[in-house]
């Protein structure tokens, strides 16, 4: 019995570095979309960069532990005049990583510069930034277009790490909500509808007038988050199941106006698509002139 288990583990480990580019289209598409997200978010933040992380920003500055990690990650808290250097480095290295030039070194620079920017102020830092920083780290070791054994091995292990991180984020988001009385009682969505910033007037009227509807949405979100790590692997229900999440994150992005968080989570759904679905998605992107370049070389 023990020998059989060990044999299966050994075979699985060898298969990870078999030299075959397993799911390379998925890895390449996910990587490009993630770096594109960083560039777009960076471009939108440019007009307010000085306000949120520059010398004249409202960043709360407090003494931190004198460790190498803290002194680097929170460098702009101590030296906000350097923000332009890190911003340019983040944008340039992300663009180079997007077009797959510079290899691991460029992806490492993209991650290091991003975490300094993201950690420099609570005015722009949110869950979307946290998710992106973790993905950028794993992407350092992803080589979707390569066939060398060690690169295939690194790519597959890193991609598994990204998937696990996404599942952990969903599961514990659900568990955290279960600890909150308003979510357990089914009134959280109803109460959220009273916040003008997150709920437009036309939708607030609907949610506030129907406790049944807001209660159903409340429990659908709870169940979805907790069940996602288990149900997303079932092929028969995968696409309808993911469609629920797509609607949820489109709502987060365009109704609640959390554009960066909603969009980065939508990119995460690429992690769980089959090769057939990836090919379908690439065909759809190819029909949109502005997005056609994303699939270049991935389809070959």
């Amino acid at each position: 019995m023990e020998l059989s288990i060990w044999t299966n583990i050994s075979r699985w480990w060898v298969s990870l570095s078999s030299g075959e580019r397993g799911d390379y289209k998925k890895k390449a598409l996910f990587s490009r979309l993630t770096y594109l997200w960083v560039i777009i978010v960076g471009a939108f933040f440019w007009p307010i960069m000085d306000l949120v992380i520059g010398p004249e920003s409202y960043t709360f500055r407090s003494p931190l532990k004198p460790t190498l990690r803290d002194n680097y990650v929170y460098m702009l808290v101590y030296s906000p005049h350097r923000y332009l250097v890190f911003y340019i480095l983040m944008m340039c290295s992300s663009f180079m990583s997007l077009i797959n030039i510079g290899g691991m070194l460029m992806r490492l620079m993209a991650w290091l510069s991003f975490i300094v920017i993201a950690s420099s102020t609570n005015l722009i830092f949110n869950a979307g930034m946290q998710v992106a920083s973790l993905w950028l780290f794993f992407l350092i070791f992803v080589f979707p277009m390569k066939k060398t054994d060690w690169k295939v091995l690194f790519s597959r292990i890193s991609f598994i790490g990204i998937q696990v991180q996404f599942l952990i984020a969903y599961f514990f988001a659900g568990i955290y909500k279960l600890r909150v009385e308003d979510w357990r009682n089914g009134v959280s969505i109803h109460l959220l509808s009273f916040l003008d910033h997150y709920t437009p007037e036309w939708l607030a009227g609907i949610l506030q007038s129907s406790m049944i509807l807001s209660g159903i949405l409340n429990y659908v979100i709870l169940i979805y988050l907790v069940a996602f790590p288990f149900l997303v692997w079932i092929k028969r229900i995968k696409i309808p199941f993911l469609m629920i999440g797509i609607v949820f994150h489109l709502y987060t992005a365009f109704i609640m106006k959390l554009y960066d968080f909603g969009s980065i989570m939508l990119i995460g759904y690429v992690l769980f698509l089959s090769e057939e679905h990836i090919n379908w998605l690439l065909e759809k992107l190819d029909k949109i002139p502005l997005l056609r370049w994303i699939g270049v070389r991935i389809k070959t």
Side-chain angles (χ1 to χ4, degrees):
M1 179 65 177
E2 293 181 357
L3 181 60
S4 177
I5 294 175
W6 176 251
T7 300
N8 290 332
I9 293 175
S10 298
R11 289 175 179 173
W12 174 76
W13 181 257
V14 171
S15 69
L16 285 178
S17 58
S18 64
E20 298 295 331
R21 296 184 298 173
D23 291 335
Y24 80 95
K25 292 181 182 180
K26 180 191 302 185
K27 295 181 178 68
L29 179 60
F30 175 81
S31 176
R32 288 185 182 181
L33 290 175
T34 301
Y35 286 113
L36 180 61
W37 181 90
V38 173
I39 293 170
I40 293 175
V41 169
F44 273 97
F45 276 130
W46 169 247
I48 60 171
M49 272 294 174
D50 186 57
L51 179 65
V52 295
I53 64 175
E56 305 300 324
S57 69
Y58 294 98
T59 300
F60 178 73
R61 294 177 174 83
S62 61
L64 301 169
K65 296 179 181 179
T67 62
L68 178 62
R69 183 190 72 90
D70 284 352
N71 275 274
Y72 174 75
V73 172
Y74 300 105
M75 184 182 298
L76 294 184
V77 175
Y78 296 115
S79 307
H81 59 279
R82 298 177 180 172
Y83 80 98
L84 192 58
V85 174
F86 281 94
Y87 177 80
I88 293 174
L89 181 61
M90 179 188 75
M91 297 296 282
C92 291
S93 57
S94 295
F95 178 75
M96 297 296 283
S97 299
L98 173 68
I99 60 178
N100 199 27
I101 295 179
M104 291 182 68
L105 177 61
M106 199 59 60
R107 296 195 293 272
L108 174 64
M109 292 172 62
W111 173 64
L112 289 175
S113 56
F114 180 84
I115 60 174
V116 172
I117 293 288
S119 303
S120 61
T121 175
N122 60 352
L123 296 180
I124 62 173
F125 186 86
N126 56 36
M129 296 291 185
Q130 180 67 45
V131 169
S133 65
L134 293 170
W135 289 358
L136 290 175
F137 170 76
F138 283 114
L139 285 175
I140 296 172
F141 311 100
V142 172
F143 308 86
M145 309 301 290
K146 303 299 181 181
K147 294 184 178 180
T148 309
D149 285 352
W150 73 269
K151 290 183 177 180
V152 172
L153 177 63
F154 272 49
S155 295
R156 286 177 169 165
I157 292 177
S158 297
F159 214 67
I160 291 173
I162 296 172
Q163 289 177 316
V164 170
Q165 186 276 324
F166 188 95
L167 296 177
I168 289 175
Y170 255 41
F171 181 76
F172 281 97
I175 294 299
Y176 175 79
K177 285 178 171 56
L178 283 172
R179 297 174 59 188
V180 179
E181 185 177 357
D182 289 339
W183 280 99
R184 294 198 306 271
N185 294 338
V187 298
S188 185
I189 298 298
H190 175 73
L191 296 176
L192 183 64
S193 68
F194 288 94
L195 299 178
D196 295 338
H197 180 76
Y198 295 118
T199 311
E201 186 176 351
W202 64 269
L203 183 58
I206 298 174
L207 295 175
Q208 291 169 21
S209 63
S210 177
M211 289 292 293
I212 295 177
L213 176 60
S214 61
I216 291 174
L217 292 175
N218 182 102
Y219 289 117
V220 166
I221 293 172
L222 270 180
I223 295 172
Y224 188 83
L225 290 174
V226 176
F228 187 92
F230 310 102
L231 300 185
V232 73
W233 307 108
I234 303 177
K235 293 182 179 180
R236 290 184 178 181
I237 66 170
K238 177 180 288 189
I239 297 303
F241 187 68
L242 289 178
M243 288 301 297
I244 297 174
I246 290 173
V247 172
F248 171 61
H249 289 302
L250 286 174
Y251 176 90
T252 302
F254 296 104
I255 302 298
M256 298 182 68
K257 301 178 183 178
L258 299 174
Y259 304 109
D260 48 355
F261 177 68
S263 56
I264 193 71
M265 297 305 287
L266 283 173
I267 292 173
Y269 278 29
V270 173
L271 298 165
F272 305 99
L273 295 178
S274 65
E275 183 176 359
E276 178 185 355
H277 296 133
I278 292 294
N279 288 331
W280 177 86
L281 183 57
L282 289 173
E283 290 178 3
K284 296 301 180 182
L285 292 175
D286 191 51
K287 296 178 180 179
I288 304 175
L290 290 176
L291 302 177
R292 185 175 299 163
W293 62 272
I294 294 179
V296 174
R297 288 190 61 200
I298 294 179
K299 296 176 290 186
T300 59

